[in-house]
Amino acid sequence: MSAGERRRALALLAAAVFIVAPAVTSAYLTLGTTVNGRSVTTRWTPPIKYFVTNRSVDGVTANQLQTVVAQSFGTWAAVPTANTSATFTGFTNAEPVRDDGATVIGFQAHPELDRTLGVTTFTLDRTTGALVEADIFLNSLFDWSTAANGETNRFDVQSIVTHELGHLLGLGHSLLGETEIRPTGGRRVLGKSSVMFPIAYAVGTTQDRFLHDDDKAALSVTYPTPQFLQNTGSVSGRVTLDGAGIFGAHVVAFNTKTQELVGGFSLNANGEFAIDGLTPGIYVLRVEPLDDADVSSFFDGDARVELGFKATFHSKLVTVPYGGFGESVEIKVTRK
Amino acid sequence: MKLVIAALVVAITAAASPSAAQTPPSQPRVLVDVGGTLLGGGAVGSADATYTTSTGASFTLFSTAQSWSSGEGIIGHLEIRVAPRVALEISGDWTRPEIRSKITSDFEGAADTTATQRVSQFRANGGVVVSFAPRGRWTPFARGAVGWLRHLSSDNTLYQDGVTADLGGGVRYAWREKAGHVTPYGVRADFWLNARSGGLDLAKQSRIVTPGFSVAFILKL
């Protein structure tokens, strides 16, 4: 593979999720690209070998950053139903956003991104879609901390790195969260149930260090262990409005016993969705429009996401069997 | 439900028959009965779908409360007498209760909904029946049994097993015998309390105690 065959395919995180898949195999948003009309998922062959920049910022040394990055990789690698691992290769003076074939994580100043804490970029092989490298930068425009319990007025490095590593592993954003508009602009998180929700908690919080069921399911679907495929199941169906399928409806599956909460999207014009990696059992299904974050955080600009419908519960309890799909359901929503 | 009602009507009719109170019943060694049953339902727990706030507290997206409806179906018993008033019993029943989740208090105002699914419940029990002194053609008895249950989802893609126990009693009413054939022998009515645990788990605590009722036609083999 020559350097000329490479190109930077994804400039911003979650900018190119699959929306062109001819068949809905999973409603989790995963990163990928299209090669010769074929969808290729962004996926590593473990272990991921990475560097950390040999540069300190106010409040965080390079060693502290490396320790936190290792802890965050460890958080993802600890998911028992997924096969992922990573190896720290060493410190580097290279910049984290540079097409050099090395995966680099570090701080970088981006004053033009005054609402962006971190970014993950990928370099893909244009001819095969294979992953060549991925870089993560944390925006040193903000104040950062690696304190065990967080630090007032500073963002928690481990929380944001854990989110960005989710992207690095190939995961897109999750919509399992509720927000409200700030008077000063932007959104404030009221609550969320996924590290991969696109909006961070406020400064001083360390809650995003911990994965939720939704994160674990998405990771496990991407890097499944054999046991995971046997011991979990899926729910599938359509979301319809006035009899027609709708794209981009957020479907949430809730297990009333385990209180597992996992979300996905309808990912084609027929409104079809499939949520994998669920504990077998009985589930409540809820559908809502994508109204707690920017649509562009989830889908590219060409996507026609339907937003004009009411949050709705499906009238049937649905079954998730072991290792397969239960009965396909149709969830009918009504206009706002 | 029709089975239960039909059996009940027959039972009442038979009990009201003046000719039925003439001859004391014999005590057959093996009895088989088949009839209708109604097994009660009840609440099994509640659960909130929650997010986590920046402080680690819970933020409720919506609330749910889970329950089982009563379910009607068919039941059968096989009794083998091992002592004058003691019999060992094997029984099985199949009912069709509904599982329900009442969903309320959605943060985004989704309408309250009761989501349901009708499932199949199979039970197989082993137990002991102790009969008391007959009064005419009526024989009261007490019964205890334990066993296994299986729930099967409506789309037949998921089954989960559990345990079940009955404690109750009832009465048999013996009809006249017609020798030489497998003949209707009488009717049997049972009331019991059932405790069951496991099966399709709708909540962290899946144990439920409900009343049960059945009426069955007795065949003497």
Side-chain angles (χ1 to χ4, degrees), chain A residues 74 98 108 135 144 189 199 209 224 259 263 266 313:
Chain A
R98 189 176 156 198
Q108 203 169 48
D135 296 319
W144 295 94
V189 175
I199 303 169
R209 294 178 182 181
Q259 297 181 272
S266 59
F313 290 103

PDB file of all heavy atoms in Angstrom, chain A residues 74 98 108 135 144 189 199 209 224 259 263 266 313:
ATOM      1  N   GLY A  74      -8.028   0.199  28.931  1.00  0.00           N
ATOM      2  CA  GLY A  74      -8.353  -0.918  29.816  1.00  0.00           C
ATOM      3  C   GLY A  74      -9.847  -1.026  30.082  1.00  0.00           C
ATOM      4  O   GLY A  74     -10.396  -2.130  30.190  1.00  0.00           O
ATOM      5  N   ARG A  98      -1.840  13.601  11.934  1.00  0.00           N
ATOM      6  CA  ARG A  98      -0.833  13.610  10.897  1.00  0.00           C
ATOM      7  C   ARG A  98      -0.829  12.253  10.211  1.00  0.00           C
ATOM      8  O   ARG A  98      -0.893  11.213  10.880  1.00  0.00           O
ATOM      9  CB  ARG A  98       0.533  13.878  11.519  1.00  0.00           C
ATOM     10  CG  ARG A  98       1.623  14.114  10.495  1.00  0.00           C
ATOM     11  CD  ARG A  98       2.904  14.475  11.204  1.00  0.00           C
ATOM     12  NE  ARG A  98       4.058  14.153  10.360  1.00  0.00           N
ATOM     13  CZ  ARG A  98       5.288  14.036  10.831  1.00  0.00           C
ATOM     14  NH1 ARG A  98       5.542  14.189  12.118  1.00  0.00           N
ATOM     15  NH2 ARG A  98       6.271  13.779  10.019  1.00  0.00           N
ATOM     16  N   GLN A 108      -3.612  19.071  21.593  1.00  0.00           N
ATOM     17  CA  GLN A 108      -3.336  19.942  20.469  1.00  0.00           C
ATOM     18  C   GLN A 108      -4.257  21.160  20.602  1.00  0.00           C
ATOM     19  O   GLN A 108      -5.419  21.014  21.002  1.00  0.00           O
ATOM     20  CB  GLN A 108      -3.623  19.211  19.151  1.00  0.00           C
ATOM     21  CG  GLN A 108      -2.892  19.755  17.960  1.00  0.00           C
ATOM     22  CD  GLN A 108      -3.012  18.817  16.765  1.00  0.00           C
ATOM     23  OE1 GLN A 108      -4.104  18.362  16.430  1.00  0.00           O
ATOM     24  NE2 GLN A 108      -1.890  18.523  16.122  1.00  0.00           N
ATOM     25  N   ASP A 135      -5.947   8.900  14.981  1.00  0.00           N
ATOM     26  CA  ASP A 135      -5.336   9.817  15.936  1.00  0.00           C
ATOM     27  C   ASP A 135      -6.423  10.462  16.788  1.00  0.00           C
ATOM     28  O   ASP A 135      -7.555  10.631  16.338  1.00  0.00           O
ATOM     29  CB  ASP A 135      -4.564  10.922  15.206  1.00  0.00           C
ATOM     30  CG  ASP A 135      -3.391  10.367  14.418  1.00  0.00           C
ATOM     31  OD1 ASP A 135      -2.697   9.477  14.927  1.00  0.00           O
ATOM     32  OD2 ASP A 135      -3.190  10.819  13.274  1.00  0.00           O
ATOM     33  N   TRP A 144      -7.777  20.963  31.742  1.00  0.00           N
ATOM     34  CA  TRP A 144      -7.899  19.515  31.892  1.00  0.00           C
ATOM     35  C   TRP A 144      -7.372  19.060  33.251  1.00  0.00           C
ATOM     36  O   TRP A 144      -6.541  19.724  33.861  1.00  0.00           O
ATOM     37  CB  TRP A 144      -7.107  18.797  30.795  1.00  0.00           C
ATOM     38  CG  TRP A 144      -7.646  19.053  29.428  1.00  0.00           C
ATOM     39  CD1 TRP A 144      -7.236  20.022  28.552  1.00  0.00           C
ATOM     40  CD2 TRP A 144      -8.717  18.350  28.792  1.00  0.00           C
ATOM     41  NE1 TRP A 144      -7.983  19.952  27.400  1.00  0.00           N
ATOM     42  CE2 TRP A 144      -8.894  18.933  27.511  1.00  0.00           C
ATOM     43  CE3 TRP A 144      -9.539  17.288  29.158  1.00  0.00           C
ATOM     44  CZ2 TRP A 144      -9.860  18.489  26.623  1.00  0.00           C
ATOM     45  CZ3 TRP A 144     -10.493  16.844  28.259  1.00  0.00           C
ATOM     46  CH2 TRP A 144     -10.651  17.443  27.004  1.00  0.00           C
ATOM     47  N   VAL A 189     -26.240  18.501  29.470  1.00  0.00           N
ATOM     48  CA  VAL A 189     -26.690  17.118  29.655  1.00  0.00           C
ATOM     49  C   VAL A 189     -27.481  17.010  30.959  1.00  0.00           C
ATOM     50  O   VAL A 189     -26.985  17.349  32.041  1.00  0.00           O
ATOM     51  CB  VAL A 189     -25.486  16.158  29.695  1.00  0.00           C
ATOM     52  CG1 VAL A 189     -25.943  14.737  30.014  1.00  0.00           C
ATOM     53  CG2 VAL A 189     -24.740  16.185  28.373  1.00  0.00           C
ATOM     54  N   ILE A 199     -22.438  14.624  23.708  1.00  0.00           N
ATOM     55  CA  ILE A 199     -22.217  15.820  24.517  1.00  0.00           C
ATOM     56  C   ILE A 199     -21.693  15.400  25.887  1.00  0.00           C
ATOM     57  O   ILE A 199     -22.248  14.505  26.535  1.00  0.00           O
ATOM     58  CB  ILE A 199     -23.522  16.624  24.663  1.00  0.00           C
ATOM     59  CG1 ILE A 199     -24.049  16.979  23.262  1.00  0.00           C
ATOM     60  CG2 ILE A 199     -23.292  17.894  25.487  1.00  0.00           C
ATOM     61  CD1 ILE A 199     -25.434  17.540  23.256  1.00  0.00           C
ATOM     62  N   ARG A 209     -16.147   8.065  32.727  1.00  0.00           N
ATOM     63  CA  ARG A 209     -15.090   7.050  32.750  1.00  0.00           C
ATOM     64  C   ARG A 209     -15.669   5.645  32.643  1.00  0.00           C
ATOM     65  O   ARG A 209     -14.938   4.691  32.401  1.00  0.00           O
ATOM     66  CB  ARG A 209     -14.298   7.146  34.061  1.00  0.00           C
ATOM     67  CG  ARG A 209     -13.505   8.422  34.224  1.00  0.00           C
ATOM     68  CD  ARG A 209     -12.795   8.435  35.569  1.00  0.00           C
ATOM     69  NE  ARG A 209     -12.059   9.669  35.780  1.00  0.00           N
ATOM     70  CZ  ARG A 209     -11.339   9.927  36.864  1.00  0.00           C
ATOM     71  NH1 ARG A 209     -11.261   9.033  37.840  1.00  0.00           N
ATOM     72  NH2 ARG A 209     -10.707  11.069  36.989  1.00  0.00           N
ATOM     73  N   PRO A 224     -17.025  -9.173  18.497  1.00  0.00           N
ATOM     74  CA  PRO A 224     -17.716 -10.162  19.346  1.00  0.00           C
ATOM     75  C   PRO A 224     -16.852 -11.368  19.705  1.00  0.00           C
ATOM     76  O   PRO A 224     -16.054 -11.838  18.890  1.00  0.00           O
ATOM     77  CB  PRO A 224     -18.891 -10.594  18.461  1.00  0.00           C
ATOM     78  CG  PRO A 224     -18.382 -10.412  17.065  1.00  0.00           C
ATOM     79  CD  PRO A 224     -17.484  -9.203  17.107  1.00  0.00           C
ATOM     80  N   GLN A 259     -32.914  -3.985  33.632  1.00  0.00           N
ATOM     81  CA  GLN A 259     -32.890  -2.524  33.453  1.00  0.00           C
ATOM     82  C   GLN A 259     -31.830  -2.084  32.442  1.00  0.00           C
ATOM     83  O   GLN A 259     -31.389  -0.947  32.429  1.00  0.00           O
ATOM     84  CB  GLN A 259     -32.737  -1.804  34.788  1.00  0.00           C
ATOM     85  CG  GLN A 259     -33.930  -2.073  35.711  1.00  0.00           C
ATOM     86  CD  GLN A 259     -33.829  -1.351  37.031  1.00  0.00           C
ATOM     87  OE1 GLN A 259     -33.238  -1.871  37.974  1.00  0.00           O
ATOM     88  NE2 GLN A 259     -34.378  -0.169  37.103  1.00  0.00           N
ATOM     89  N   GLY A 263     -29.772   1.451  22.770  1.00  0.00           N
ATOM     90  CA  GLY A 263     -30.440   2.201  21.708  1.00  0.00           C
ATOM     91  C   GLY A 263     -29.845   1.960  20.347  1.00  0.00           C
ATOM     92  O   GLY A 263     -28.717   1.471  20.207  1.00  0.00           O
ATOM     93  N   SER A 266     -33.283   3.548  13.190  1.00  0.00           N
ATOM     94  CA  SER A 266     -33.749   3.005  11.912  1.00  0.00           C
ATOM     95  C   SER A 266     -32.815   3.554  10.845  1.00  0.00           C
ATOM     96  O   SER A 266     -32.562   4.755  10.778  1.00  0.00           O
ATOM     97  CB  SER A 266     -35.201   3.404  11.641  1.00  0.00           C
ATOM     98  OG  SER A 266     -35.360   4.799  11.618  1.00  0.00           O
ATOM     99  N   PHE A 313     -44.273   4.577  22.668  1.00  0.00           N
ATOM    100  CA  PHE A 313     -43.956   3.211  23.111  1.00  0.00           C
ATOM    101  C   PHE A 313     -44.652   2.210  22.194  1.00  0.00           C
ATOM    102  O   PHE A 313     -45.788   2.428  21.772  1.00  0.00           O
ATOM    103  CB  PHE A 313     -44.423   2.974  24.547  1.00  0.00           C
ATOM    104  CG  PHE A 313     -43.630   3.736  25.568  1.00  0.00           C
ATOM    105  CD1 PHE A 313     -44.145   4.882  26.154  1.00  0.00           C
ATOM    106  CD2 PHE A 313     -42.366   3.327  25.934  1.00  0.00           C
ATOM    107  CE1 PHE A 313     -43.410   5.601  27.089  1.00  0.00           C
ATOM    108  CE2 PHE A 313     -41.624   4.034  26.865  1.00  0.00           C
ATOM    109  CZ  PHE A 313     -42.152   5.172  27.440  1.00  0.00           C
TER     110      PHE A 313
END
